[in-house]
Amino acid sequence: GGRFHSRFLVKTGGCTPMGEAMWWAMREALERKEARKIILVVTDGCPDSKVAAEKAVAHGRRLGFEFCGIGIANPEIMNLLPESSEVVDTLDQLAPALFRILQRTLAG
């Protein structure tokens, strides 16, 4: 980690609590009245626990959630969500990748 602004110190610790984050997002969205609930996972890392992330996705799908993913310079999201994710390496690739994913998801 390092400083990117005089008031902030960013420390990297290698943590990506992806499963926990998906459980939190599902809990927040569960009571919403929208017919479709889509969770977009954007990550630059691997889940701390692949098993926890896989269980969150499996349970979420049983509840009717749809999952999409964007990997930032890291292809690990493709292992978790192979049918609905892409990897980007530059900022210019982000918007087109997101639009492709959403187009496939919304049309599917």
Side-chain angles (χ1 to χ4, degrees):
R3 290 190 182 276
F4 67 93
H5 185 277
S6 61
R7 294 184 181 208
F8 299 101
L9 177 62
V10 177
K11 293 183 180 180
T12 57
C15 295
T16 304
M18 195 178 297
E20 294 87 338
M22 287 187 285
W23 282 109
W24 179 87
M26 288 187 287
R27 187 183 73 235
E28 291 294 310
L30 196 56
E31 301 301 319
R32 306 252 339 155
K33 294 178 179 153
E34 288 80 2
R36 291 180 77 180
K37 294 178 175 71
I38 301 170
I39 294 179
L40 174 63
V41 179
V42 180
T43 182
D44 67 348
C46 305
D48 289 346
S49 169
K50 185 176 180 184
V51 171
E54 289 170 344
K55 285 183 179 182
V57 170
H59 189 75
R61 286 182 173 151
R62 285 193 299 274
L63 292 173
F65 285 92
E66 299 170 69
F67 294 86
C68 303
I70 297 278
I72 307 293
N74 186 317
E76 186 64 29
I77 194 69
M78 298 294 291
N79 294 325
L80 184 64
L81 303 169
E83 70 287 346
S84 60
S85 61
E86 290 196 25
V87 177
V88 298
D89 293 308
T90 66
L91 186 58
D92 292 343
Q93 296 171 338
L94 182 58
L98 182 57
F99 282 115
R100 282 191 302 272
I101 288 169
L102 290 176
Q103 183 178 33
R104 285 193 309 264
T105 301
L106 296 175

